[in-house]
Amino acid sequence: MLVRLLYASRAKVAMTDQDLTAILKKSREHNPIEGITGLLCYTDGIFIQMLEGGRDAINARYNTIVRDVRHHDVILLSYDEIGEREFAGWAMGQVNLSRLNPALVLKYSQTSKLDPYAMSGHALTALFHELVSSGAIVCS
Ligand code: FAD
């Protein structure tokens, strides 16, 4: 059984490129072994991560991530059983949100500033899907 989990959190301190690289490196080591795919976004002190994979693997990895001291205020935005992966190609894609079109954010939220704490999981998932399918975000 496959599930897709979406959460947001706040970084304890502003992340440097090295900090983010360390998290991505660890993710890309672990996730393929566990059959986990997904995306990690970091912008303005906020993480948004989408994880896809087997239910047991996702539950276990999420529990590890929640305990990580590098972030706090972890909010589970959505958790769904899925028929297929949306981000199958990415062991853990890194999304650059700096080029995000404010009009697109406004389509799904109250203001044009991306604030996952003020959005439903459904809206944020829809925004992600639109960004990925339109090529508006890059996976580096
Ligand atoms: P270690 O790497 O030895 O880490 C053990 C613990 O030490 C960590 O949980 C953390 O609390 C702490 N720690 C590690 N490095 C640092 C550091 N540089 N500064 C401060 N404390 C540190 N891991 C994945 O495998 N897949 C993911 O998709 C994933 N996504 C993540 C997303 C976010 C936003 C964050 C913050 C972390 C993510 N991680 C992910 C990392 C995850 O939380 C664990 O740190 C990691 O999986 C544990 O790896 P390890 O068992 O080798 O232990």
Side-chain angles (χ1 to χ4, degrees), residues 3-54:
V3 299
R4 180 181 300 130
L5 184 156
L6 179 69
Y7 76 85
S9 63
R10 297 185 204 280
K12 275 274 173 60
V13 295
M15 292 278 115
T16 64
D17 285 348
Q18 289 95 320
D19 294 332
L20 283 174
T21 301
I23 291 172
L24 287 163
K25 184 170 179 288
K26 191 61 81 174
S27 304
R28 289 168 183 157
E29 274 170 32
H30 291 155
N31 294 2
I33 298 166
E34 298 164 2
I36 294 175
T37 52
L39 290 174
L40 178 64
C41 309
Y42 176 75
T43 180
D44 293 336
I46 288 180
F47 290 108
I48 306 170
Q49 189 172 30
M50 188 170 272
L51 297 165
E52 296 176 333

Side-chain angles (χ1 to χ4, degrees), residues 75-90:
I75 179 173
L76 181 61
L77 293 167
S78 71
Y79 183 94
D80 295 301
E81 293 175 7
I82 54 171
E84 62 186 47
R85 294 171 195 256
E86 192 85 25
F87 307 102
W90 298 348

